[in-house]
Amino acid sequence: MAPVIEVRNLRKTYGSVAAVDGVSFEIAAGEIFGMVGPNGAGKTTTIECIEGLREPDEGSVRLLGMDPRAQREAVAQRIGVQLQECTLPSRLRAGEALDLFGAFYQRQADAGELLQLLGLTDKRAAPFAKLSGGQKQRLFIALALINQPQVVFFDELTTGLDPQARRAMWDLVRQVRDRGCTVVLTTHFMEEAERLCDRVAIVDHGRIVALDTPEALIRSLGAERRLVFTLPESTLDQEVRQPPTLAGLTQVSRVERSNNHLLVYGHGERFVSSVVSTLEDGGVPFLDLRTEQPNLEDVFLALTGREMRE
């Protein structure tokens, strides 16, 4: 089956800055595909070139087998877009917005069904200004789906939402995919990408520095496991900053101590058992032991660095 999206050697510059620098990838039908990266990494520019909103300087893009710039109208009929910053007239009612946007397309989803899917049935007559932040986000999802798109783009979908609303949005994205739509999303939340996406592209300085499933990215890049525990209050006055025997274990790469919390980093199947056995054999007391598995955020920071960017 042909890919839904094909990007080949995409390049877009602004003056001397290469916002997108030779990017290539494909997205299959039915995928939830994520793009993550620091601010200014080139995610939004890449997506806008795919959508046909920007013209690349070099390279090619095929969206549903079409050129999104040369066949803009045909492409627009078959995709949905939710932008990072959206707004509507304050007095426009939710149901009126769906009717208005639906009139732009040859195919229309049932507005009532969309409102029900997104938990907005009782807000059909509510003006936009009276909706909560989460309700506005769900309305914009509905507007992106009103034309029954084959591909939908979500840009920073859950920014500004509380944890409960964010997880509700994740459920909605899965439902959209289950209804036969390919989903492309950009996000700054690594947990969101890890939980939702079938594959993730990590973008930095206009290039894709890694692309795979979240599980494969974590596994292949060798992110460390963490063992976290608390030392009793009595150890705070001790000069020893960490149990010296731990640093000598082959499974342990480093040990960090902050007040009475100890973080042990390492690898291997016997990492946890060897640390626990060493502490017990050495008579080192510990409390609240827990393990923390490596995650996509560890991979992201390892590839893109930890410095703040504009």
Side-chain angles (χ1 to χ4, degrees), residues 2 19-20 34 42 57 73 96 117 127 134 156 158 163 187 194 221 228 230 236 272 275 277-278:
V20 182
D57 298 325
E73 184 174 346
E96 293 172 340
L117 173 68
E156 301 295 342
T158 61
T187 180
E194 186 173 343
L221 293 173
V228 184
T230 303
L236 289 176
V272 175
V275 169
S277 296
T278 301

Side-chain angles (χ1 to χ4, degrees), residues 179-213:
R179 291 161 69 93
C181 190
T182 301
V183 177
V184 181
L185 65 88
T186 64
T187 180
H188 279 109
F189 295 105
M190 295 303 108
E191 182 186 6
E192 181 167 284
E194 186 173 343
R195 294 280 192 91
L196 276 181
C197 297
D198 299 303
R199 289 189 301 146
V200 176
I202 300 178
V203 183
D204 197 21
H205 298 296
R207 294 177 176 270
I208 292 179
V209 296
L211 195 168
D212 212 324
T213 66

Side-chain angles (χ1 to χ4, degrees), residues 144-186:
L145 300 175
I146 191 63
N147 61 326
Q148 297 180 321
Q150 293 172 262
V151 183
V152 64
F153 297 87
F154 294 134
D155 191 4
E156 301 295 342
L157 179 65
T158 61
T159 297
L161 298 184
D162 60 59
Q164 184 180 26
R166 183 174 299 126
R167 280 160 177 74
M169 285 294 182
W170 296 352
D171 290 338
L172 289 172
V173 171
R174 295 186 186 100
Q175 289 181 54
V176 169
R177 188 270 307 276
D178 292 343
R179 291 161 69 93
C181 190
T182 301
V183 177
V184 181
L185 65 88
T186 64

